Amino acid sequence: MSTEVDSAPNLSALYLKAVTSGPLRRGGELPQTEYVRRGIEIDQAHLAEYNRVCGFGLRDELPPTYPHVLSFGLSVRLMTDPGFPFPLVGLVHVANSITVHRPLRVTDVLDQRVRVANLRAHPKGKQLDVIAETSVGGEMVWSETSTYLRRGKPDDSAPHAERAAEVEPGAPTATWRVPGDQGRRYAAVSGDRNPIHLHPWSAKVLGFPRAIAHGMWTKARALAAFDGRLPESFTVDVDFVKPLLLPSTVEFTEAGPGTGVGPGTGTARPGRDARFAVHSRSGKPHLQGRLR
C-alpha cells in the first residue's frame, strides 16, 4: 500500500512517538506500507553544510550518501507506525548498500519511496531491510538498502550475514581526528538525533561509555576520500562493525585490486573492486566497505 507524503516528516514528533510507543511493540510481521514523497528540490544551503560536515567538496553532483538524508524522515515515519513490530530505539544499523545508477545533480527534482522488507533470523535476533529509492522523471537513479538488527533470542541456526572483504589495519591512506561534537554536527544536517550520538551522558543511559559517531557519517566521510574519483555508476557496500566512540583518532585505508587503489594514488580512479576500511589506531575495525 503506497501512501503519498507531501512534506518532510517532523522528526522531533516521530522520536517522541518512538519513545512512548516502543514498549508496546511485541514483534510480528513487517507492514506492507510504502511511503512516497514527490517533487523534492535540493536546498543548496543544507547541501553545502552536509558537504562540510562530511568532508565532500562543493560540486554540481550530489554526494552518493545525500539522498539517504532526504529519505531518512520517511524511514523513521515507517518505523514508528503502529504496524511496525519493533521499537525504533534499540534497532542497530549494521550494514548499508547504496547503488548510484547515474550522478544526481543539484538541479534534479527527486521522488523518493521507502519500504521495509526481508525480515529474517539472525544469530543475535532478527534482521530487516529498509529500502529507499530515488527517481528523477520516472527513472530510478539511486537506491539503498539499510539493514537493521533487533537484538533478541539467539538463533544458532540462522545464517551469518556476508560481510564486505576485510581490509587489515596498517599502512593507512589517511588519519582523521573525529571531534567530540561530531555526532551533534551530523545530527543537525541529517535529522538523526538518536541520543547515543549526541552527548556522553545520553549515550551512557543507553549502554555506551561515550557518544558514538553515526554509521552513515562514517560511510559518508569514507566516500569523501574518493571525491572526484568515483565512476558514473557504482555500488558501495559497508558493514558497521564496531561503534566509533567520540572523540577519536581513526585511520582510513583504501586497498584492493585494480588501478589507482591504495595509498598515494593521487587522483586516479579506484579499481573495479576497491575495498576500504576505518580502524581505530589500535586496529579495531569500525567500518569495512567495498566499492564496485
Side-chain angles (χ1 to χ4, degrees), residues 18-192:
V19 171
T20 56
S21 68
L24 305 177
R25 300 175 190 269
R26 294 289 184 268
E29 298 300 314
L30 295 178
Q32 299 300 307
T33 305
E34 177 185 70
Y35 281 119
V36 180
R37 184 180 170 213
R38 304 184 190 276
I40 303 168
E41 297 183 354
I42 304 302
D43 180 333
Q44 295 193 31
H46 179 265
L47 173 61
E49 182 62 15
Y50 177 87
N51 287 341
R52 189 180 70 81
V53 169
C54 297
F56 291 101
L58 296 178
R59 298 178 173 275
D60 291 336
E61 295 179 7
L62 301 184
T65 48
Y66 189 68
H68 169 87
V69 170
L70 298 179
S71 66
F72 181 70
L74 296 181
S75 300
V76 174
R77 177 166 175 178
L78 203 160
M79 291 190 285
T80 53
D81 276 354
F84 190 75
F86 307 116
L88 177 63
V89 178
L91 286 179
V92 181
H93 195 182
V94 294
N96 179 272
S97 177
I98 288 173
T99 296
V100 176
H101 300 278
R102 63 99 162 147
L104 280 76
R105 310 291 180 185
V106 174
T107 53
D108 284 337
V109 178
L110 313 179
D111 298 331
Q112 293 192 309
R113 55 183 67 239
V114 174
R115 65 187 186 276
V116 291
N118 199 17
L119 181 64
R120 57 202 185 273
H122 183 273
K124 295 182 179 179
K126 297 282 188 182
Q127 275 191 335
L128 62 98
D129 295 329
V130 178
I131 299 171
E133 297 172 348
T134 297
S135 300
V136 176
E139 173 196 7
M140 188 169 71
V141 294
W142 180 96
S143 57
E144 174 191 50
T145 299
S146 294
T147 300
Y148 289 87
L149 170 66
R150 170 61 179 173
R151 295 186 185 275
K153 184 179 179 181
D155 186 345
D156 294 333
S157 66
H160 288 264
E162 292 186 10
R163 281 187 171 174
E166 292 189 1
V167 175
E168 297 298 325
T173 309
T175 300
W176 301 330
R177 175 67 179 166
V178 188
D181 67 346
Q182 188 63 61
R184 295 190 294 277
R185 294 173 64 217
Y186 183 76
V189 296
S190 69
D192 186 349

Side-chain angles (χ1 to χ4, degrees), residues 164-247:
E166 292 189 1
V167 175
E168 297 298 325
T173 309
T175 300
W176 301 330
R177 175 67 179 166
V178 188
D181 67 346
Q182 188 63 61
R184 295 190 294 277
R185 294 173 64 217
Y186 183 76
V189 296
S190 69
D192 186 349
R193 299 183 182 276
N194 187 321
I196 62 176
H197 303 302
L198 302 182
H199 298 280
W201 59 266
S202 57
K204 285 180 180 178
V205 170
L206 296 171
F208 295 91
R210 305 198 301 272
I212 65 173
H214 295 75
M216 287 305 295
W217 173 83
T218 311
K219 179 173 184 174
R221 184 65 187 88
L223 283 176
F226 293 93
D227 204 18
R229 299 188 289 138
L230 293 171
E232 292 284 301
S233 61
F234 60 92
T235 294
V236 57
D237 305 313
V238 301
D239 295 307
F240 303 118
V241 185
K242 293 183 183 297
L244 197 169
L245 297 175
L246 301 174

